Amino acid sequence: MIEEGSKSSKATVEKRQLFMEMRAQNFDVIRLSTYRTACKLRFVQKRCNLHLVDVWNMIEAFRDNGLSTLDHNAEINVSRLETILSSIFYQLNKRLPTTHQINVEQSIGLLLNFMVATYDSEGHGKLTVFSMKSMLSTMCGGKIVDKLRYIFSQISDSSGTMVFAKFDQFLREVLKLPTAVFEGPSFGYTEHSVRTCFPQQKKILLNTFLDVMMADPPPQCLVWLPLMHRLANVENVFHPVECSYCRSESMMGFRYRCQQCHGYQLCQNCFWRGHASGPHSNQHQMKEHSSWKSPAKKLSHAISKSLGCVPIGEPPHPVFPEAAERPQDLAHPTQLKPVSNNMNDTILMSSGAPTSTKSSTLESPSRLDEEHRLIARYAARLAAEASNSTCPPTDLSFNFDANKQQRQLIAELENKNREILQEIQRLRLEHEQASQPTPEKAQQNPTLLAELRLLRHRKDELEKRMSALQESRRELMVQLEGLMRLLKAQTGGSPHSSPSHSASCTMPMPIRSTSAGSTPTHTPQDCLAGVGDDVLDAFSQGVPRNLRNDLLVAADSITNTMSSLVKELHSVDDGLEDEEVNMRNGRDKVSAPRHYGNRHSTPSF
């Protein structure tokens, strides 16, 4: 008894979990019932991971679980419903990448409790097949035109005309969804709902049905359905515009522009909650935008539209043939095909055969079209054979020819599949060969490579040091030349030469230069600023020292230093050559060693 009580309490908590999470989102602050209903149902769809299941995968699940052969009014119990939901979500996890797997058990529990609370409020533990199909095909992912086509196939007769009684039954079932999220007073079912959708038409075909359901505005009782799909399309749309109320610098989702107040725009949160500021009022007409266009793009679009390059009005859906469509549960795979040209969807809905996404990217458009035609022919013949299987064969030769043609088609498809696999294998091998290292690199000794890098680094350092010493040597030679001129001027001129004459014998000093505002009264010692102490002492004496020998000694010291540096650089270069010779002897095919920089000859004066 205790275990049964704990299980019942757990089930009660699970039933209330989704509704408690929905209340926590505070959707009730949205003032417009249409947006409030669409937001709540979109939350349920995402929370149960139904937005990841495409409508074509949902139809395939109906067929795999045997629902195509059941009557719409047949009842299924909760345990079988749980089995069907399990197959849907486990197949979904197989299609999803491993990094985006969903929690299957949680999704099954949330969706099962929501469906039971919506369609089994009296607690009978059973749901009708039509209730389950209507709910899942409406709440799953995919294009709204594909959903409406499937719904029309369920409510039309064999001549392709809508049956009003079945459409009324569909409205009863689908309008239970707004009631389940506490929006029944706004979008509940009434006896006049059918005639409000089709007030005058008597014979409703597929295109007429799509025109009414996808009109702007749609029927009042189903106005939340296209809005829920628009919400899914604009969740990640970015508008680089500032909201006139909350002053947010950007918007996500819908953008609303006032038709009376110039430049007044609101984000979806402010508009849904009825916020207004300044001269703007909630009574003003607002235009909803689901995308952002720059002013330049708007101007080009307006010019193209005025010149007739852009059609003024595009149809909301493709125009389908007026031929009768039988009730489409994929019992005959060729009856219903998706609107999109996606190869995977077409193959899935035509023959049920698995395909690879890589093969579609490798195929050219002509080959894709050819493969589509082959698969369509093969599926049509399979469907014809299945429909005629109950009749006894009357012409053995006809059956033999049909089997022969089927075998030829299968052989053609197998050959094409082999070509695709070979192309994939070839591209994979090319990619692996491009990404693998060359054999020459793999044969090199890591120790020798490390020593070679160290020697080259040492060589670069010595070259930098040699360049610095050469620059210093050049500066010293310039100083030496200037000092020699000064020495000759002092020894050759008169001892009473004027200060101006002495100041004119300035030498180019790279360290300190004479300022532009100096006067010619400077002494010759001023011209020696930045020169060593020995030179200053020599010129400070009455009789100048013999600086020629000192300067020559300094020049010889610089020359010896440069010579030793060049020898060390040559030894490093020889070491590099020896290392590269050793490496060349250790392997068969290695490129010739590279020489870095030119060799320097010993400088001489």
Side-chain angles (χ1 to χ4, degrees):
M1 295 294 293
I2 296 176
E3 293 181 357
E4 292 179 357
S6 61
K7 289 182 179 179
S8 61
S9 61
K10 182 180 179 180
T12 305
V13 171
E14 290 179 351
K15 289 181 179 180
R16 296 179 179 178
Q17 179 182 355
L18 184 62
F19 296 101
M20 292 173 63
E21 293 179 1
M22 185 178 62
R23 287 183 181 275
Q25 298 296 320
N26 200 19
F27 290 122
D28 291 331
V29 299
I30 301 176
R31 64 187 183 96
L32 300 176
S33 60
T34 304
Y35 288 96
R36 189 168 58 245
T37 305
C39 288
K40 289 180 178 181
L41 292 177
R42 175 63 178 167
F43 173 79
V44 173
Q45 183 190 45
K46 294 179 65 176
R47 189 67 182 85
C48 297
N49 290 316
L50 277 175
H51 66 295
L52 301 176
V53 184
D54 191 79
V55 60
W56 304 110
N57 300 126
M58 190 66 71
I59 300 171
E60 186 76 12
F62 294 160
R63 186 185 68 177
D64 292 342
N65 287 275
L67 300 180
S68 303
T69 58
L70 296 178
D71 187 76
H72 284 174
N73 296 323
E75 293 183 343
I76 57 174
N77 53 26
V78 177
S79 61
R80 185 175 180 185
L81 176 60
E82 185 176 3
T83 303
I84 296 172
L85 298 181
S86 301
S87 66
I88 292 172
F89 286 112
Y90 278 112
Q91 289 296 325
L92 172 63
N93 254 357
K94 291 181 181 179
R95 294 189 299 269
L96 293 176
T98 55
T99 56
H100 294 77
Q101 297 288 300
I102 64 171
N103 189 341
V104 175
E105 298 298 332
Q106 185 182 23
S107 301
I108 294 172
L110 291 175
L111 183 56
L112 179 64
N113 292 324
F114 179 76
M115 293 182 68
V116 171
T118 303
Y119 294 100
D120 188 29
S121 57
E122 298 180 359
H124 296 302
K126 293 182 179 181
L127 280 76
T128 63
V129 173
F130 190 69
S131 299
M132 188 188 65
K133 286 184 177 181
S134 301
M135 186 271 175
L136 293 178
S137 61
T138 303
M139 293 294 292
C140 67
K143 298 181 179 180
I144 186 172
V145 62
D146 296 334
K147 295 182 180 181
L148 293 175
R149 287 185 66 201
Y150 173 72
I151 291 169
F152 183 82
S153 69
Q154 301 299 302
I155 61 175
S156 59
D157 55 15
S158 58
S159 63
T161 305
M162 188 188 75
V163 180
F164 280 88
K166 291 184 178 180
F167 180 67
D168 182 74
Q169 184 182 3
F170 167 72
L171 288 182
R172 287 176 184 270
E173 302 300 337
V174 77
L175 290 180
K176 290 180 181 179
L177 293 173
T179 305
V181 293
F182 315 107
E183 296 297 333
S186 301
F187 300 104
Y189 171 80
T190 61
E191 297 179 355
H192 305 286
S193 299
V194 177
R195 287 303 172 185
T196 57
C197 298
F198 302 98
Q200 298 179 355
Q201 294 89 343
K202 295 182 180 180
K203 184 178 181 180
I204 308 299
L205 301 177
L206 174 60
N207 290 318
T208 307
F209 179 79
L210 295 177
D211 290 338
V212 173
M213 292 295 148
M214 301 182 66
D216 188 15
Q220 182 60 31
C221 60
L222 296 174
V223 69
W224 51 270
L225 181 58
L227 179 59
M228 185 179 69
H229 288 79
R230 295 206 308 273
L231 279 174
N233 294 330
V234 302
E235 283 182 346
N236 298 320
V237 175
F238 176 77
H239 305 269
V241 182
E242 181 183 6
C243 178
S244 300
Y245 182 84
C246 65
R247 299 300 176 185
S248 176
E249 296 182 357
S250 60
M251 304 180 190
M252 293 294 292
F254 286 119
R255 173 171 55 92
Y256 297 90
R257 186 181 186 91
C258 183
Q259 301 299 298
Q260 299 182 22
C261 304
H262 177 71
Y264 193 89
Q265 302 188 81
L266 293 175
C267 62
Q268 65 178 19
N269 291 332
C270 294
F271 176 75
W272 290 353
R273 286 158 177 78
H275 296 321
S277 60
H280 178 71
S281 172
N282 291 330
Q283 304 301 322
H284 291 179
Q285 184 179 1
M286 303 290 287
K287 185 176 181 180
E288 182 182 275
H289 295 274
S290 57
S291 62
W292 163 257
K293 290 183 180 179
S294 62
K297 189 176 293 185
K298 290 181 180 178
L299 179 61
S300 63
H301 182 75
I303 294 175
S304 302
K305 189 175 181 180
S306 62
L307 295 176
C309 301
V310 178
I312 299 177
E314 297 181 356
H317 63 84
V319 179
F320 298 98
E322 294 294 342
E325 291 191 3
R326 290 173 288 178
Q328 319 247 346
D329 283 304
L330 291 187
H332 301 288
T334 58
Q335 290 178 359
L336 187 60
K337 294 183 181 179
V339 176
S340 64
N341 293 326
N342 189 291
M343 178 181 175
N344 298 331
D345 292 342
T346 306
I347 294 178
L348 173 65
M349 303 314 298
S350 299
S351 63
T355 184
S356 172
T357 57
K358 291 184 179 179
S359 63
S360 63
T361 60
L362 298 175
E363 292 288 308
S364 62
S366 60
R367 295 183 65 183
L368 286 178
D369 294 338
E370 181 183 358
E371 188 169 355
H372 288 174
R373 288 194 296 270
L374 288 174
I375 293 174
R377 287 167 53 194
Y378 176 60
R381 288 174 180 175
L382 288 179
E385 183 184 0
S387 60
N388 296 328
S389 60
T390 57
C391 300
T394 57
D395 192 355
L396 295 178
S397 61
F398 174 78
N399 291 335
F400 177 77
D401 294 339
N403 293 333
K404 184 178 180 180
Q405 292 177 358
Q406 291 175 7
R407 285 195 299 271
Q408 290 177 354
L409 279 174
I410 293 174
E412 291 177 4
L413 292 176
E414 289 178 351
N415 292 332
K416 193 172 293 295
N417 188 30
R418 280 194 296 269
E419 292 177 1
I420 294 172
L421 292 177
Q422 291 175 0
E423 184 70 14
I424 294 173
Q425 185 67 20
R426 185 185 65 80
L427 293 177
R428 185 182 291 111
L429 291 176
E430 290 180 358
H431 178 71
E432 291 177 355
Q433 292 176 0
S435 61
Q436 287 180 356
T438 58
E440 296 178 355
K441 295 182 180 178
Q443 294 177 0
Q444 292 180 356
N445 191 346
T447 306
L448 294 177
L449 287 176
E451 293 179 358
L452 184 61
R453 283 195 295 268
L454 289 175
L455 289 174
R456 287 176 177 172
H457 181 66
R458 177 63 177 167
K459 179 181 178 182
D460 293 339
E461 291 181 351
L462 291 176
E463 286 180 350
K464 292 180 182 178
R465 182 181 174 189
M466 182 175 179
S467 300
L469 289 176
Q470 284 180 347
E471 184 66 23
S472 300
R473 173 178 173 274
R474 187 185 65 79
E475 293 177 357
L476 288 175
M477 293 301 296
V478 172
Q479 293 181 14
L480 178 61
E481 184 180 359
L483 290 174
M484 292 298 295
R485 286 200 300 267
L486 286 175
L487 186 60
K488 290 179 181 179
Q490 289 293 329
T491 55
S494 62
H496 301 287
S497 60
S498 62
S500 61
H501 176 74
S502 300
S504 64
C505 299
T506 58
M507 67 174 182
M509 300 295 295
I511 300 176
R512 174 185 289 180
S513 61
T514 307
S515 61
S518 61
T519 60
T521 59
H522 289 176
T523 62
Q525 285 79 2
D526 296 334
C527 300
L528 300 177
V531 184
D533 295 335
D534 294 337
V535 178
L536 291 176
D537 293 339
F539 281 92
S540 63
Q541 302 295 332
V543 179
R545 293 173 53 187
N546 188 8
L547 290 177
R548 183 181 182 85
N549 295 331
D550 295 340
L551 293 174
L552 290 175
V553 169
D556 292 338
S557 176
I558 294 172
T559 303
N560 294 333
T561 304
M562 293 294 295
S563 300
S564 61
L565 180 61
V566 170
K567 290 179 180 179
E568 186 175 358
L569 184 62
H570 279 251
S571 63
V572 172
D573 203 0
D574 294 338
L576 282 173
E577 293 180 356
D578 294 338
E579 291 293 336
E580 293 178 352
V581 168
N582 292 335
M583 294 177 65
R584 185 167 58 250
N585 293 332
R587 48 196 171 89
D588 295 330
K589 293 181 180 180
V590 179
S591 60
R594 298 170 58 188
H595 295 280
Y596 294 86
N598 298 324
R599 296 193 178 185
H600 301 276
S601 60
T602 305
S604 59
F605 295 100

